[in-house]
PDB file of all heavy atoms in Angstrom:
ATOM      1  N   LYS Y1137     200.285  79.443 -27.690  1.00 86.00           N
ATOM      2  CA  LYS Y1137     200.816  78.457 -26.711  1.00 86.00           C
ATOM      3  C   LYS Y1137     201.523  77.190 -27.166  1.00 86.00           C
ATOM      4  O   LYS Y1137     202.080  76.410 -26.375  1.00 86.00           O
ATOM      5  CB  LYS Y1137     199.614  78.102 -25.818  1.00 86.00           C
ATOM      6  CG  LYS Y1137     198.571  77.182 -26.561  1.00 86.00           C
ATOM      7  CD  LYS Y1137     197.384  76.951 -25.690  1.00 86.00           C
ATOM      8  CE  LYS Y1137     196.339  76.160 -26.475  1.00 86.00           C
ATOM      9  NZ  LYS Y1137     195.043  76.034 -25.931  1.00 86.00           N
ATOM     10  N   GLY Y1138     201.586  77.146 -28.493  1.00 84.00           N
ATOM     11  CA  GLY Y1138     202.143  75.869 -29.189  1.00 84.00           C
ATOM     12  C   GLY Y1138     201.171  74.870 -29.079  1.00 84.00           C
ATOM     13  O   GLY Y1138     199.923  75.004 -28.905  1.00 84.00           O
ATOM     14  N   TYR Y1139     201.624  73.620 -29.535  1.00 87.00           N
ATOM     15  CA  TYR Y1139     200.798  72.411 -29.568  1.00 87.00           C
ATOM     16  C   TYR Y1139     201.580  71.192 -29.047  1.00 87.00           C
ATOM     17  O   TYR Y1139     202.512  70.803 -29.707  1.00 87.00           O
ATOM     18  CB  TYR Y1139     200.357  72.144 -31.139  1.00 87.00           C
ATOM     19  CG  TYR Y1139     199.470  71.015 -31.291  1.00 87.00           C
ATOM     20  CD1 TYR Y1139     198.162  70.882 -30.650  1.00 87.00           C
ATOM     21  CD2 TYR Y1139     199.960  69.767 -31.942  1.00 87.00           C
ATOM     22  CE1 TYR Y1139     197.374  69.760 -30.848  1.00 87.00           C
ATOM     23  CE2 TYR Y1139     199.223  68.740 -32.031  1.00 87.00           C
ATOM     24  CZ  TYR Y1139     197.936  68.615 -31.476  1.00 87.00           C
ATOM     25  OH  TYR Y1139     197.135  67.599 -31.662  1.00 87.00           O
ATOM     26  N   LYS Y1140     201.074  70.700 -27.954  1.00 85.00           N
ATOM     27  CA  LYS Y1140     201.668  69.489 -27.263  1.00 85.00           C
ATOM     28  C   LYS Y1140     203.125  69.725 -26.966  1.00 85.00           C
ATOM     29  O   LYS Y1140     203.952  68.873 -27.426  1.00 85.00           O
ATOM     30  CB  LYS Y1140     201.370  68.266 -28.063  1.00 85.00           C
ATOM     31  CG  LYS Y1140     199.905  67.987 -28.165  1.00 85.00           C
ATOM     32  CD  LYS Y1140     199.614  66.452 -28.472  1.00 85.00           C
ATOM     33  CE  LYS Y1140     198.147  66.233 -28.319  1.00 85.00           C
ATOM     34  NZ  LYS Y1140     197.851  64.859 -28.288  1.00 85.00           N
ATOM     35  N   GLY Y1141     203.517  70.812 -26.518  1.00 81.00           N
ATOM     36  CA  GLY Y1141     204.956  71.206 -26.261  1.00 81.00           C
ATOM     37  C   GLY Y1141     205.728  71.590 -27.644  1.00 81.00           C
ATOM     38  O   GLY Y1141     206.867  71.911 -27.416  1.00 81.00           O
ATOM     39  N   PHE Y1142     205.201  71.579 -28.784  1.00 83.00           N
ATOM     40  CA  PHE Y1142     205.715  72.155 -29.886  1.00 83.00           C
ATOM     41  C   PHE Y1142     205.475  73.495 -30.288  1.00 83.00           C
ATOM     42  O   PHE Y1142     204.194  73.794 -30.391  1.00 83.00           O
ATOM     43  CB  PHE Y1142     205.423  71.117 -31.047  1.00 83.00           C
ATOM     44  CG  PHE Y1142     206.027  71.448 -32.356  1.00 83.00           C
ATOM     45  CD1 PHE Y1142     207.405  71.022 -32.714  1.00 83.00           C
ATOM     46  CD2 PHE Y1142     205.463  72.268 -33.252  1.00 83.00           C
ATOM     47  CE1 PHE Y1142     207.951  71.325 -33.955  1.00 83.00           C
ATOM     48  CE2 PHE Y1142     206.015  72.567 -34.557  1.00 83.00           C
ATOM     49  CZ  PHE Y1142     207.258  72.145 -34.796  1.00 83.00           C
ATOM     50  N   LYS Y1143     206.428  74.378 -30.603  1.00 84.00           N
ATOM     51  CA  LYS Y1143     206.127  75.649 -31.152  1.00 84.00           C
ATOM     52  C   LYS Y1143     206.620  75.817 -32.514  1.00 84.00           C
ATOM     53  O   LYS Y1143     207.828  75.381 -32.930  1.00 84.00           O
ATOM     54  CB  LYS Y1143     206.737  76.691 -30.090  1.00 84.00           C
ATOM     55  CG  LYS Y1143     205.900  76.926 -28.962  1.00 84.00           C
ATOM     56  CD  LYS Y1143     206.093  78.325 -28.454  1.00 84.00           C
ATOM     57  CE  LYS Y1143     205.194  78.524 -27.363  1.00 84.00           C
ATOM     58  NZ  LYS Y1143     205.180  79.953 -26.878  1.00 84.00           N
ATOM     59  N   GLY Y1144     205.888  76.334 -33.420  1.00 83.00           N
ATOM     60  CA  GLY Y1144     206.336  76.456 -34.833  1.00 83.00           C
ATOM     61  C   GLY Y1144     207.217  77.634 -35.139  1.00 83.00           C
ATOM     62  O   GLY Y1144     207.506  78.333 -34.210  1.00 83.00           O
ATOM     63  N   ASN Y1145     207.581  77.740 -36.384  1.00 83.00           N
ATOM     64  CA  ASN Y1145     208.415  78.869 -36.807  1.00 83.00           C
ATOM     65  C   ASN Y1145     207.814  79.953 -37.626  1.00 83.00           C
ATOM     66  O   ASN Y1145     208.522  80.801 -38.239  1.00 83.00           O
ATOM     67  CB  ASN Y1145     209.655  78.272 -37.475  1.00 83.00           C
ATOM     68  CG  ASN Y1145     209.387  77.653 -38.774  1.00 83.00           C
ATOM     69  OD1 ASN Y1145     208.155  77.194 -38.896  1.00 83.00           O
ATOM     70  ND2 ASN Y1145     210.294  77.363 -39.660  1.00 83.00           N
ATOM     71  N   CYS Y1146     206.461  79.879 -37.677  1.00 87.00           N
ATOM     72  CA  CYS Y1146     205.691  80.917 -38.522  1.00 87.00           C
ATOM     73  C   CYS Y1146     204.769  81.616 -37.587  1.00 87.00           C
ATOM     74  O   CYS Y1146     204.190  80.957 -36.610  1.00 87.00           O
ATOM     75  CB  CYS Y1146     204.980  80.145 -39.706  1.00 87.00           C
ATOM     76  SG  CYS Y1146     206.174  79.408 -40.757  1.00 87.00           S
ATOM     77  N   SER Y1147     204.124  82.742 -38.021  1.00 86.00           N
ATOM     78  CA  SER Y1147     203.272  83.505 -37.396  1.00 86.00           C
ATOM     79  C   SER Y1147     201.912  82.750 -37.153  1.00 86.00           C
ATOM     80  O   SER Y1147     201.482  82.007 -38.095  1.00 86.00           O
ATOM     81  CB  SER Y1147     203.073  84.884 -38.018  1.00 86.00           C
ATOM     82  OG  SER Y1147     201.949  85.488 -37.560  1.00 86.00           O
ATOM     83  N   ILE Y1148     201.342  83.014 -36.013  1.00 86.00           N
ATOM     84  CA  ILE Y1148     199.865  82.523 -35.887  1.00 86.00           C
ATOM     85  C   ILE Y1148     198.917  82.982 -36.932  1.00 86.00           C
ATOM     86  O   ILE Y1148     197.945  82.284 -37.230  1.00 86.00           O
ATOM     87  CB  ILE Y1148     199.386  82.825 -34.404  1.00 86.00           C
ATOM     88  CG1 ILE Y1148     198.049  82.081 -34.112  1.00 86.00           C
ATOM     89  CG2 ILE Y1148     199.194  84.349 -34.230  1.00 86.00           C
ATOM     90  CD1 ILE Y1148     197.589  82.418 -32.710  1.00 86.00           C
ATOM     91  N   SER Y1149     199.178  84.175 -37.417  1.00 88.00           N
ATOM     92  CA  SER Y1149     198.351  84.724 -38.453  1.00 88.00           C
ATOM     93  C   SER Y1149     198.189  83.827 -39.689  1.00 88.00           C
ATOM     94  O   SER Y1149     197.272  83.816 -40.385  1.00 88.00           O
ATOM     95  CB  SER Y1149     198.874  86.148 -38.926  1.00 88.00           C
ATOM     96  OG  SER Y1149     200.152  85.911 -39.606  1.00 88.00           O
ATOM     97  N   PHE Y1150     199.222  82.854 -39.950  1.00 88.00           N
ATOM     98  CA  PHE Y1150     199.138  81.923 -40.995  1.00 88.00           C
ATOM     99  C   PHE Y1150     197.923  81.081 -40.860  1.00 88.00           C
ATOM    100  O   PHE Y1150     197.175  80.583 -41.728  1.00 88.00           O
ATOM    101  CB  PHE Y1150     200.354  81.114 -41.194  1.00 88.00           C
ATOM    102  CG  PHE Y1150     201.590  81.941 -41.680  1.00 88.00           C
ATOM    103  CD1 PHE Y1150     201.670  83.308 -41.585  1.00 88.00           C
ATOM    104  CD2 PHE Y1150     202.725  81.255 -42.066  1.00 88.00           C
ATOM    105  CE1 PHE Y1150     202.721  84.057 -42.011  1.00 88.00           C
ATOM    106  CE2 PHE Y1150     203.776  81.908 -42.546  1.00 88.00           C
ATOM    107  CZ  PHE Y1150     203.774  83.218 -42.552  1.00 88.00           C
ATOM    108  N   ILE Y1151     197.651  80.694 -39.637  1.00 90.00           N
ATOM    109  CA  ILE Y1151     196.429  79.760 -39.370  1.00 90.00           C
ATOM    110  C   ILE Y1151     195.192  80.490 -39.594  1.00 90.00           C
ATOM    111  O   ILE Y1151     194.258  79.990 -40.354  1.00 90.00           O
ATOM    112  CB  ILE Y1151     196.522  79.312 -37.798  1.00 90.00           C
ATOM    113  CG1 ILE Y1151     197.811  78.418 -37.545  1.00 90.00           C
ATOM    114  CG2 ILE Y1151     195.289  78.431 -37.535  1.00 90.00           C
ATOM    115  CD1 ILE Y1151     197.994  77.942 -36.194  1.00 90.00           C
ATOM    116  N   GLU Y1152     195.128  81.831 -39.223  1.00 89.00           N
ATOM    117  CA  GLU Y1152     193.862  82.544 -39.476  1.00 89.00           C
ATOM    118  C   GLU Y1152     193.618  82.851 -40.942  1.00 89.00           C
ATOM    119  O   GLU Y1152     192.540  82.671 -41.426  1.00 89.00           O
ATOM    120  CB  GLU Y1152     193.950  83.819 -38.596  1.00 89.00           C
ATOM    121  CG  GLU Y1152     193.993  83.727 -37.165  1.00 89.00           C
ATOM    122  CD  GLU Y1152     194.783  84.817 -36.427  1.00 89.00           C
ATOM    123  OE1 GLU Y1152     194.948  85.930 -37.167  1.00 89.00           O
ATOM    124  OE2 GLU Y1152     194.931  84.752 -35.141  1.00 89.00           O
ATOM    125  N   GLN Y1153     194.810  83.064 -41.563  1.00 88.00           N
ATOM    126  CA  GLN Y1153     194.602  83.371 -42.909  1.00 88.00           C
ATOM    127  C   GLN Y1153     194.369  82.022 -43.732  1.00 88.00           C
ATOM    128  O   GLN Y1153     193.431  82.164 -44.734  1.00 88.00           O
ATOM    129  CB  GLN Y1153     196.194  83.717 -43.486  1.00 88.00           C
ATOM    130  CG  GLN Y1153     196.162  83.787 -45.012  1.00 88.00           C
ATOM    131  CD  GLN Y1153     197.696  83.991 -45.400  1.00 88.00           C
ATOM    132  OE1 GLN Y1153     198.239  85.057 -45.177  1.00 88.00           O
ATOM    133  NE2 GLN Y1153     198.233  82.913 -46.005  1.00 88.00           N
ATOM    134  N   PHE Y1154     194.838  80.851 -43.364  1.00 89.00           N
ATOM    135  CA  PHE Y1154     194.439  79.629 -44.043  1.00 89.00           C
ATOM    136  C   PHE Y1154     192.922  79.410 -43.833  1.00 89.00           C
ATOM    137  O   PHE Y1154     192.245  78.964 -44.718  1.00 89.00           O
ATOM    138  CB  PHE Y1154     195.238  78.470 -43.427  1.00 89.00           C
ATOM    139  CG  PHE Y1154     194.897  77.082 -44.000  1.00 89.00           C
ATOM    140  CD1 PHE Y1154     195.201  76.735 -45.275  1.00 89.00           C
ATOM    141  CD2 PHE Y1154     194.030  76.286 -43.250  1.00 89.00           C
ATOM    142  CE1 PHE Y1154     194.763  75.457 -45.765  1.00 89.00           C
ATOM    143  CE2 PHE Y1154     193.561  75.062 -43.790  1.00 89.00           C
ATOM    144  CZ  PHE Y1154     193.975  74.692 -45.058  1.00 89.00           C
ATOM    145  N   ARG Y1155     192.492  79.551 -42.644  1.00 89.00           N
ATOM    146  CA  ARG Y1155     191.025  79.289 -42.227  1.00 89.00           C
ATOM    147  C   ARG Y1155     190.177  80.149 -43.202  1.00 89.00           C
ATOM    148  O   ARG Y1155     189.042  79.809 -43.748  1.00 89.00           O
ATOM    149  CB  ARG Y1155     190.784  79.602 -40.814  1.00 89.00           C
ATOM    150  CG  ARG Y1155     189.375  79.231 -40.382  1.00 89.00           C
ATOM    151  CD  ARG Y1155     189.157  79.379 -38.881  1.00 89.00           C
ATOM    152  NE  ARG Y1155     189.683  80.585 -38.239  1.00 89.00           N
ATOM    153  CZ  ARG Y1155     190.516  80.747 -37.360  1.00 89.00           C
ATOM    154  NH1 ARG Y1155     191.126  79.619 -36.756  1.00 89.00           N
ATOM    155  NH2 ARG Y1155     190.933  81.939 -36.913  1.00 89.00           N
ATOM    156  N   ALA Y1156     190.581  81.312 -43.479  1.00 88.00           N
ATOM    157  CA  ALA Y1156     189.731  82.312 -44.226  1.00 88.00           C
ATOM    158  C   ALA Y1156     189.962  82.146 -45.772  1.00 88.00           C
ATOM    159  O   ALA Y1156     188.921  82.211 -46.573  1.00 88.00           O
ATOM    160  CB  ALA Y1156     190.362  83.761 -43.900  1.00 88.00           C
ATOM    161  N   LEU Y1157     190.997  81.586 -46.166  1.00 85.00           N
ATOM    162  CA  LEU Y1157     191.310  81.469 -47.691  1.00 85.00           C
ATOM    163  C   LEU Y1157     191.119  80.120 -48.218  1.00 85.00           C
ATOM    164  O   LEU Y1157     190.962  79.971 -49.387  1.00 85.00           O
ATOM    165  CB  LEU Y1157     192.613  82.023 -48.011  1.00 85.00           C
ATOM    166  CG  LEU Y1157     193.021  83.484 -47.697  1.00 85.00           C
ATOM    167  CD1 LEU Y1157     194.468  83.792 -48.156  1.00 85.00           C
ATOM    168  CD2 LEU Y1157     192.005  84.492 -48.477  1.00 85.00           C
ATOM    169  N   HIS Y1158     191.202  78.999 -47.339  1.00 88.00           N
ATOM    170  CA  HIS Y1158     191.214  77.692 -47.949  1.00 88.00           C
ATOM    171  C   HIS Y1158     189.918  77.444 -48.768  1.00 88.00           C
ATOM    172  O   HIS Y1158     188.840  77.754 -48.186  1.00 88.00           O
ATOM    173  CB  HIS Y1158     191.468  76.685 -46.851  1.00 88.00           C
ATOM    174  CG  HIS Y1158     191.275  75.334 -47.317  1.00 88.00           C
ATOM    175  ND1 HIS Y1158     192.211  74.678 -48.186  1.00 88.00           N
ATOM    176  CD2 HIS Y1158     190.320  74.246 -47.088  1.00 88.00           C
ATOM    177  CE1 HIS Y1158     191.861  73.418 -48.389  1.00 88.00           C
ATOM    178  NE2 HIS Y1158     190.691  73.142 -47.743  1.00 88.00           N
ATOM    179  N   GLN Y1159     189.970  76.869 -49.838  1.00 87.00           N
ATOM    180  CA  GLN Y1159     188.819  76.357 -50.679  1.00 87.00           C
ATOM    181  C   GLN Y1159     189.060  74.858 -50.771  1.00 87.00           C
ATOM    182  O   GLN Y1159     190.048  74.380 -51.331  1.00 87.00           O
ATOM    183  CB  GLN Y1159     188.915  77.098 -51.982  1.00 87.00           C
ATOM    184  CG  GLN Y1159     188.722  78.594 -51.861  1.00 87.00           C
ATOM    185  CD  GLN Y1159     188.625  79.143 -53.316  1.00 87.00           C
ATOM    186  OE1 GLN Y1159     188.941  78.522 -54.325  1.00 87.00           O
ATOM    187  NE2 GLN Y1159     188.313  80.428 -53.458  1.00 87.00           N
ATOM    188  N   CYS Y1160     188.099  74.135 -50.283  1.00 91.00           N
ATOM    189  CA  CYS Y1160     188.133  72.668 -50.320  1.00 91.00           C
ATOM    190  C   CYS Y1160     187.996  72.268 -51.808  1.00 91.00           C
ATOM    191  O   CYS Y1160     187.573  72.833 -52.648  1.00 91.00           O
ATOM    192  CB  CYS Y1160     186.920  72.084 -49.489  1.00 91.00           C
ATOM    193  SG  CYS Y1160     187.170  72.099 -47.744  1.00 91.00           S
ATOM    194  N   ASN Y1161     188.744  71.093 -51.909  1.00 92.00           N
ATOM    195  CA  ASN Y1161     188.743  70.412 -53.401  1.00 92.00           C
ATOM    196  C   ASN Y1161     188.317  69.071 -53.265  1.00 92.00           C
ATOM    197  O   ASN Y1161     187.962  68.504 -52.143  1.00 92.00           O
ATOM    198  CB  ASN Y1161     190.106  70.581 -53.976  1.00 92.00           C
ATOM    199  CG  ASN Y1161     191.139  70.007 -53.129  1.00 92.00           C
ATOM    200  OD1 ASN Y1161     191.191  68.799 -52.786  1.00 92.00           O
ATOM    201  ND2 ASN Y1161     192.166  70.818 -52.795  1.00 92.00           N
ATOM    202  N   LYS Y1162     188.310  68.331 -54.258  1.00 94.00           N
ATOM    203  CA  LYS Y1162     187.937  66.897 -54.335  1.00 94.00           C
ATOM    204  C   LYS Y1162     188.705  65.939 -53.343  1.00 94.00           C
ATOM    205  O   LYS Y1162     188.085  65.016 -52.811  1.00 94.00           O
ATOM    206  CB  LYS Y1162     187.931  66.213 -55.692  1.00 94.00           C
ATOM    207  CG  LYS Y1162     189.357  66.192 -56.322  1.00 94.00           C
ATOM    208  CD  LYS Y1162     189.093  65.552 -57.682  1.00 94.00           C
ATOM    209  CE  LYS Y1162     190.661  65.274 -58.299  1.00 94.00           C
ATOM    210  NZ  LYS Y1162     190.444  64.643 -59.612  1.00 94.00           N
ATOM    211  N   TYR Y1163     189.978  66.316 -53.071  1.00 95.00           N
ATOM    212  CA  TYR Y1163     190.683  65.472 -52.182  1.00 95.00           C
ATOM    213  C   TYR Y1163     190.280  65.774 -50.766  1.00 95.00           C
ATOM    214  O   TYR Y1163     190.359  64.901 -49.873  1.00 95.00           O
ATOM    215  CB  TYR Y1163     192.289  65.864 -52.326  1.00 95.00           C
ATOM    216  CG  TYR Y1163     192.568  65.464 -53.748  1.00 95.00           C
ATOM    217  CD1 TYR Y1163     192.955  66.503 -54.627  1.00 95.00           C
ATOM    218  CD2 TYR Y1163     192.658  64.174 -54.232  1.00 95.00           C
ATOM    219  CE1 TYR Y1163     193.346  66.193 -56.095  1.00 95.00           C
ATOM    220  CE2 TYR Y1163     193.083  63.784 -55.519  1.00 95.00           C
ATOM    221  CZ  TYR Y1163     193.363  64.984 -56.391  1.00 95.00           C
ATOM    222  OH  TYR Y1163     193.765  64.551 -57.702  1.00 95.00           O
ATOM    223  N   CYS Y1164     190.045  67.054 -50.406  1.00 95.00           N
ATOM    224  CA  CYS Y1164     189.394  67.320 -48.980  1.00 95.00           C
ATOM    225  C   CYS Y1164     188.109  66.317 -48.869  1.00 95.00           C
ATOM    226  O   CYS Y1164     187.923  65.807 -47.839  1.00 95.00           O
ATOM    227  CB  CYS Y1164     188.915  68.765 -48.964  1.00 95.00           C
ATOM    228  SG  CYS Y1164     190.385  69.876 -48.959  1.00 95.00           S
ATOM    229  N   GLU Y1165     187.233  66.352 -49.868  1.00 96.00           N
ATOM    230  CA  GLU Y1165     185.910  65.673 -49.930  1.00 96.00           C
ATOM    231  C   GLU Y1165     186.300  64.060 -49.700  1.00 96.00           C
ATOM    232  O   GLU Y1165     185.503  63.437 -48.981  1.00 96.00           O
ATOM    233  CB  GLU Y1165     185.178  65.868 -51.175  1.00 96.00           C
ATOM    234  CG  GLU Y1165     184.633  67.328 -51.097  1.00 96.00           C
ATOM    235  CD  GLU Y1165     183.949  67.719 -52.500  1.00 96.00           C
ATOM    236  OE1 GLU Y1165     183.672  66.730 -53.243  1.00 96.00           O
ATOM    237  OE2 GLU Y1165     183.721  68.845 -52.772  1.00 96.00           O
ATOM    238  N   MET Y1166     187.201  63.616 -50.458  1.00 97.00           N
ATOM    239  CA  MET Y1166     187.602  62.172 -50.350  1.00 97.00           C
ATOM    240  C   MET Y1166     187.963  61.741 -48.963  1.00 97.00           C
ATOM    241  O   MET Y1166     187.765  60.675 -48.447  1.00 97.00           O
ATOM    242  CB  MET Y1166     188.678  61.903 -51.298  1.00 97.00           C
ATOM    243  CG  MET Y1166     188.290  61.872 -52.817  1.00 97.00           C
ATOM    244  SD  MET Y1166     189.571  61.700 -53.910  1.00 97.00           S
ATOM    245  CE  MET Y1166     189.777  59.860 -53.845  1.00 97.00           C
ATOM    246  N   LEU Y1167     188.740  62.719 -48.245  1.00 96.00           N
ATOM    247  CA  LEU Y1167     189.136  62.491 -46.904  1.00 96.00           C
ATOM    248  C   LEU Y1167     188.042  62.641 -45.783  1.00 96.00           C
ATOM    249  O   LEU Y1167     188.205  62.503 -44.694  1.00 96.00           O
ATOM    250  CB  LEU Y1167     190.410  63.147 -46.594  1.00 96.00           C
ATOM    251  CG  LEU Y1167     191.721  62.621 -47.015  1.00 96.00           C
ATOM    252  CD1 LEU Y1167     192.810  63.591 -47.016  1.00 96.00           C
ATOM    253  CD2 LEU Y1167     192.050  61.403 -46.221  1.00 96.00           C
ATOM    254  N   GLY Y1168     186.850  63.219 -46.319  1.00 96.00           N
ATOM    255  CA  GLY Y1168     185.814  63.669 -45.413  1.00 96.00           C
ATOM    256  C   GLY Y1168     186.112  64.695 -44.446  1.00 96.00           C
ATOM    257  O   GLY Y1168     185.579  64.922 -43.444  1.00 96.00           O
ATOM    258  N   LEU Y1169     186.879  65.734 -45.037  1.00 96.00           N
ATOM    259  CA  LEU Y1169     187.234  66.966 -44.154  1.00 96.00           C
ATOM    260  C   LEU Y1169     186.128  67.864 -44.218  1.00 96.00           C
ATOM    261  O   LEU Y1169     185.412  68.009 -45.254  1.00 96.00           O
ATOM    262  CB  LEU Y1169     188.499  67.579 -44.700  1.00 96.00           C
ATOM    263  CG  LEU Y1169     189.734  66.662 -44.742  1.00 96.00           C
ATOM    264  CD1 LEU Y1169     190.897  67.464 -45.412  1.00 96.00           C
ATOM    265  CD2 LEU Y1169     190.106  66.258 -43.249  1.00 96.00           C
ATOM    266  N   GLN Y1170     185.784  68.473 -43.172  1.00 94.00           N
ATOM    267  CA  GLN Y1170     184.716  69.471 -42.939  1.00 94.00           C
ATOM    268  C   GLN Y1170     185.077  70.890 -43.497  1.00 94.00           C
ATOM    269  O   GLN Y1170     186.307  71.288 -43.495  1.00 94.00           O
ATOM    270  CB  GLN Y1170     184.308  69.688 -41.427  1.00 94.00           C
ATOM    271  CG  GLN Y1170     183.617  68.511 -40.793  1.00 94.00           C
ATOM    272  CD  GLN Y1170     183.171  68.789 -39.442  1.00 94.00           C
ATOM    273  OE1 GLN Y1170     183.663  69.661 -38.868  1.00 94.00           O
ATOM    274  NE2 GLN Y1170     182.440  67.990 -38.917  1.00 94.00           N
ATOM    275  N   SER Y1171     184.179  71.511 -44.264  1.00 92.00           N
ATOM    276  CA  SER Y1171     184.528  72.722 -44.930  1.00 92.00           C
ATOM    277  C   SER Y1171     184.866  73.848 -43.817  1.00 92.00           C
ATOM    278  O   SER Y1171     184.137  73.825 -42.849  1.00 92.00           O
ATOM    279  CB  SER Y1171     183.306  73.176 -45.686  1.00 92.00           C
ATOM    280  OG  SER Y1171     183.508  74.568 -45.947  1.00 92.00           O
ATOM    281  N   LEU Y1172     185.963  74.585 -43.968  1.00 87.00           N
ATOM    282  CA  LEU Y1172     186.339  75.511 -42.926  1.00 87.00           C
ATOM    283  C   LEU Y1172     185.449  76.712 -43.033  1.00 87.00           C
ATOM    284  O   LEU Y1172     185.162  77.287 -41.897  1.00 87.00           O
ATOM    285  CB  LEU Y1172     187.883  75.940 -43.235  1.00 87.00           C
ATOM    286  CG  LEU Y1172     188.841  74.806 -43.016  1.00 87.00           C
ATOM    287  CD1 LEU Y1172     190.120  75.414 -43.335  1.00 87.00           C
ATOM    288  CD2 LEU Y1172     188.778  74.249 -41.701  1.00 87.00           C
ATOM    289  N   ARG Y1173     184.799  76.967 -44.037  1.00 76.00           N
ATOM    290  CA  ARG Y1173     183.871  78.161 -44.179  1.00 76.00           C
ATOM    291  C   ARG Y1173     182.653  77.789 -43.386  1.00 76.00           C
ATOM    292  O   ARG Y1173     182.166  78.581 -42.689  1.00 76.00           O
ATOM    293  CB  ARG Y1173     183.543  78.345 -45.670  1.00 76.00           C
ATOM    294  CG  ARG Y1173     184.730  78.879 -46.371  1.00 76.00           C
ATOM    295  CD  ARG Y1173     184.465  79.143 -47.966  1.00 76.00           C
ATOM    296  NE  ARG Y1173     185.624  79.362 -48.640  1.00 76.00           N
ATOM    297  CZ  ARG Y1173     186.096  80.550 -48.804  1.00 76.00           C
ATOM    298  NH1 ARG Y1173     185.686  81.541 -48.174  1.00 76.00           N
ATOM    299  NH2 ARG Y1173     187.356  80.604 -49.566  1.00 76.00           N
TER     300      ARG Y1173
END
């Protein structure tokens, strides 16, 4: 459905793939980001 009226130019599968493959690092921790896993 897009995001706030904006539609990207890449497949939605990229989001699913990122969620499955991303490995947090020290910079994620410094920003206080929650582990996707």
Side-chain angles (χ1 to χ4, degrees):
K1137 62 185 178 191
Y1139 178 68
K1140 296 197 172 196
F1142 177 84
K1143 281 208 172 191
N1145 62 341
C1146 295
S1147 167
I1148 187 175
S1149 66
F1150 289 18
I1151 295 175
E1152 295 158 5
Q1153 172 190 292
F1154 175 76
R1155 185 173 51 234
L1157 296 179
H1158 175 68
Q1159 294 178 356
C1160 285
N1161 58 54
K1162 66 179 182 179
Y1163 300 108
C1164 295
E1165 290 170 16
M1166 289 173 79
L1167 279 165
L1169 302 175
Q1170 294 182 343
S1171 168
L1172 298 182
R1173 293 177 193 273

